[in-house]
Short mmCIF file of all heavy atoms in Angstrom, two decimals:
data_model
loop_
_atom_site.label_atom_id
_atom_site.label_comp_id
_atom_site.label_asym_id
_atom_site.label_seq_id
_atom_site.Cartn_x
_atom_site.Cartn_y
_atom_site.Cartn_z
N SER V 1490 99.90 87.87 116.95
CA SER V 1490 99.96 87.00 118.12
C SER V 1490 100.18 87.78 119.42
O SER V 1490 99.96 87.25 120.50
CB SER V 1490 101.05 85.94 117.96
OG SER V 1490 102.32 86.53 117.83
N ASN V 1491 100.63 89.03 119.30
CA ASN V 1491 100.87 89.84 120.49
C ASN V 1491 99.91 91.02 120.60
O ASN V 1491 100.13 91.95 121.40
CB ASN V 1491 102.32 90.35 120.50
CG ASN V 1491 103.32 89.24 120.77
OD1 ASN V 1491 103.58 88.87 121.90
ND2 ASN V 1491 103.88 88.69 119.69
N ASN V 1492 98.83 90.98 119.80
CA ASN V 1492 97.77 92.00 119.86
C ASN V 1492 98.28 93.42 119.67
O ASN V 1492 97.87 94.35 120.37
CB ASN V 1492 97.01 91.90 121.20
CG ASN V 1492 96.29 90.58 121.36
OD1 ASN V 1492 95.66 90.10 120.41
ND2 ASN V 1492 96.38 89.98 122.53
N VAL V 1493 99.19 93.60 118.74
CA VAL V 1493 99.65 94.93 118.36
C VAL V 1493 99.57 95.03 116.84
O VAL V 1493 99.45 94.02 116.15
CB VAL V 1493 101.09 95.23 118.84
CG1 VAL V 1493 101.18 95.20 120.35
CG2 VAL V 1493 102.08 94.23 118.23
N THR V 1494 99.63 96.24 116.32
CA THR V 1494 99.62 96.42 114.88
C THR V 1494 101.06 96.42 114.37
O THR V 1494 102.00 96.63 115.13
CB THR V 1494 98.95 97.74 114.49
OG1 THR V 1494 99.72 98.84 115.00
CG2 THR V 1494 97.54 97.81 115.05
N VAL V 1495 101.22 96.20 113.06
CA VAL V 1495 102.55 96.22 112.47
C VAL V 1495 103.16 97.61 112.62
O VAL V 1495 104.37 97.75 112.87
CB VAL V 1495 102.50 95.81 110.99
CG1 VAL V 1495 103.85 96.00 110.32
CG2 VAL V 1495 102.07 94.35 110.86
N SER V 1496 102.34 98.66 112.49
CA SER V 1496 102.86 100.03 112.64
C SER V 1496 103.36 100.28 114.05
O SER V 1496 104.37 100.95 114.26
CB SER V 1496 101.79 101.04 112.26
OG SER V 1496 100.65 100.92 113.08
N GLN V 1497 102.66 99.73 115.06
CA GLN V 1497 103.13 99.85 116.45
C GLN V 1497 104.45 99.11 116.63
O GLN V 1497 105.35 99.58 117.35
CB GLN V 1497 102.08 99.30 117.41
CG GLN V 1497 100.86 100.18 117.58
CD GLN V 1497 99.79 99.53 118.43
OE1 GLN V 1497 99.58 98.31 118.38
NE2 GLN V 1497 99.11 100.33 119.23
N LEU V 1498 104.57 97.96 115.97
CA LEU V 1498 105.80 97.17 116.06
C LEU V 1498 106.96 97.94 115.44
O LEU V 1498 108.07 97.97 115.99
CB LEU V 1498 105.58 95.84 115.35
CG LEU V 1498 106.48 94.66 115.73
CD1 LEU V 1498 106.46 94.41 117.22
CD2 LEU V 1498 106.04 93.41 114.97
N ARG V 1499 106.71 98.58 114.31
CA ARG V 1499 107.77 99.37 113.67
C ARG V 1499 108.16 100.56 114.53
O ARG V 1499 109.33 100.92 114.65
CB ARG V 1499 107.29 99.87 112.30
CG ARG V 1499 107.09 98.78 111.27
CD ARG V 1499 106.78 99.41 109.91
NE ARG V 1499 106.33 98.42 108.95
CZ ARG V 1499 107.13 97.60 108.30
NH1 ARG V 1499 108.43 97.64 108.53
NH2 ARG V 1499 106.65 96.73 107.42
N GLN V 1500 107.15 101.19 115.12
CA GLN V 1500 107.42 102.37 115.96
C GLN V 1500 108.26 102.00 117.17
O GLN V 1500 109.12 102.77 117.60
CB GLN V 1500 106.09 102.97 116.41
CG GLN V 1500 106.23 104.34 117.08
CD GLN V 1500 104.88 104.96 117.39
OE1 GLN V 1500 103.84 104.34 117.18
NE2 GLN V 1500 104.89 106.17 117.90
N ALA V 1501 108.02 100.81 117.73
CA ALA V 1501 108.77 100.37 118.90
C ALA V 1501 110.16 99.86 118.53
O ALA V 1501 111.01 99.68 119.40
CB ALA V 1501 108.00 99.28 119.64
#
Side-chain angles (χ1 to χ4, degrees):
S1490 61
N1491 289 277
N1492 296 317
V1493 297
T1494 65
V1495 173
S1496 60
Q1497 287 175 324
L1498 202 54
R1499 293 187 191 281
Q1500 190 174 4

